[in-house]
Amino acid sequence: MRLPCPICGERDVREFTYKGHAVALDRPAPNAGDAAWEDYVHLRENPAGETRELWYHGGGCGAWIVVRRNTVTHEVLGAELASEVAE
Amino acid sequence: MRFSGLKILTEGLTGNRGWTPHWRDPAPKPEYDVIIIGGGGHGLATAYYLAKNHGITNVAVLEKGYLGGGNVGRNTTIVRANYFLPGNSEFYSHSLKLWENLEQDLNYNVMLSQRGQVLLSHSDGQSDALIRRGNAMRNQGDDAEWISPEYMRKNWPYLNFDSPRFPIYGGLMQRRAGTARHDAVAWGYARGADQRGVDLIQNCEVTGIDIENGVVKGVQTTRGAIRAGKVGIVTAGRSGQVAAMAGMRLPIESHVLQAFVTEGLKPCLDTVISFGMGHFYISQSDKGGLVFGGDLDMYASYAQRGNLPMVEHVAEAAMTLMPMIGKAKILRSWGGIMDMTPDGSPIIDRTDTDGLFIDCGWCYGGFKAVPGSGYAFAHLMATGTPHKSAERLRLDRFRTGRGLMDEEGTGAQHNLH
Ligand SMILES: Cc1cc2nc3c(=O)[nH]c(=O)nc-3n(C[C@H](O)[C@H](O)[C@H](O)COP(=O)(O)OP(=O)(O)OC[C@H]3O[C@@H](n4cnc5c(N)ncnc54)[C@H](O)[C@@H]3O)c2cc1C
Ligand SMILES: [Zn+2]
């Protein structure tokens, strides 16, 4: 599997660390309550098919990227910088 | 039909014409008392214990493929009770006791082989931690024994004892641990459930769960609607999709785990060896193949196959621990979908919907749990109260933070187990 880093181009998956679903970009307010925090930290849609997830390019440019990927076929559909998605 | 030595002898002498199918192939009835979604090890064991322990026999197991075609037929068959934390400790202890009597109970040869399992240590600190774990196991009433490098050199002389990075300091052995024949476990429970009246319905995918005013009424399937008073979700790697049919989101992310087997070799490994530092473990099957595996590929996946980086990692770990393995040819590799929870421990609980129960989150360790999970889930579904061996396997521990069971001590987060 190769991931298309927007800065470095297509790179072997071994250069990246997987964080999980891109829900991690939607951090609730500290006082949002335990339901919101459970949702954010633990509960997952866990789709069989297309998903959006966070990867860290530790073996390359050091950027966090949001990858669109198919969890059934392992097809990689695209990637953006997390810093741009988060804005 | 009962299996016995005499039966095998007479069948052998009369051309093996008297064997009958192990279970019926019934069409679904319009209504059952209990529906179990998923015909893997856990679903079949649940149905068996519902019938055997609680007399509930108007039960259907609905399986989208064939019985035992999921993880129960894809795992590396290690059975053990060497967990450290309360919650897991008593649960796996109970499960191992059920394993030890399973063949007599089911009248089925599940080929349980208590050949032992050893966890290797490579430093004083790791030895201390393993010995502490051994003490916890003994407090639970299970066996644990510290074994020396000398003992290992005598028994497994081909291990790489003097590797500069991972010298072997000793190991924690559980002699009652071992392996079993995975398919036979599914078949034995299936046959036992069928004999007690449970309908095992294959090629029947659940596509919806019917809920009215917060009460479960039945399920929609590819073979029509079926009503039921109680429904249990036991679908391992597919738990997320099935729970979504009831409007639930679970603390689960599905990952792929790979395993490997070599060509058949002469007997050389009479136990299970876990090389935790290399995320590697190995045993030898009765056919002679070395069966081994490693860590998750470490990304969400529903493909029942993994990628090459983990193959390479596992091969490196194998060569580090056991250089002689380099001469064996790998015959096959495969993958299964693991229902990973944030703390790496399972869930057996009710849901917010009346009559709907869930048994999931088995991660990469749910084969050894099959008897214990079926026993406890049947108890919960039949009586409404958790079995005492599974009281702590609660779904709400992730919201409250109370009772998280993070055996690895890495933190209860999805990408860490
Ligand atoms: C490579 C590998 C190695 C492993 N090694 C070990 C080990 O050494 N020791 C150990 O203890 N554990 C091990 N495990 C883990 C263990 O195999 C699993 O935790 C356990 O088998 C999961 O429970 P199950 O048997 O009920 O799952 P499964 O057999 O996967 O059963 C779930 C069933 O649900 C069915 N299903 C899904 N969705 C639907 C639907 N909508 N409708 C109807 N049916 C549905 C599926 O078809 C499947 O048959 C390993 C797993 C893998 C993949
Ligand atoms: Zn990069």
Side-chain angles (χ1 to χ4, degrees), chain A residues 1 13-14 18-21 34 38-39 41-48 53 55 69 71-74, chain B residues 238 241 249-254 298-303 305 307 309 312 342 398-399 412-415:
Chain A
M1 201 154 79
V13 71
R14 271 175 283 207
Y18 173 75
K19 170 71 183 168
H21 195 269
D34 58 2
E38 183 190 30
D39 225 42
V41 180
H42 298 304
L43 301 187
R44 291 294 176 265
E45 197 184 314
N46 199 15
E53 51 197 22
W55 293 76
R69 205 171 57 84
T71 56
V72 178
T73 62
H74 291 167
Chain B
R238 289 279 173 176
Q241 268 89 54
R249 290 216 293 164
L250 297 176
I252 285 185
E253 196 173 79
S254 294
M298 282 292 172
Y299 46 82
S301 173
Y302 285 90
R305 60 185 162 74
N307 267 299
E312 187 176 34
F398 299 99
R399 180 161 43 80
Q413 279 196 37
H414 276 294
N415 60 335

Side-chain angles (χ1 to χ4, degrees), chain B residues 65 284 291 304 332 347:
Chain B
Q284 187 167 23
V291 180
Q304 287 178 319
R332 279 180 290 127
I347 295 160

Side-chain angles (χ1 to χ4, degrees), chain B residues 119-128 130 146 167-172:
Chain B
L119 307 172
L120 298 180
S121 164
H122 314 280
S123 70
D124 289 333
Q126 208 185 354
S127 299
D128 288 348
L130 284 175
W146 184 254
I168 297 175
Y169 275 48
L172 185 68

Side-chain angles (χ1 to χ4, degrees), chain B residues 49-63:
Chain B
Y49 290 116
L50 275 172
K52 182 182 174 227
N53 294 354
H54 306 282
I56 301 175
T57 57
N58 186 22
V59 176
V61 177
L62 308 182
E63 166 55 48

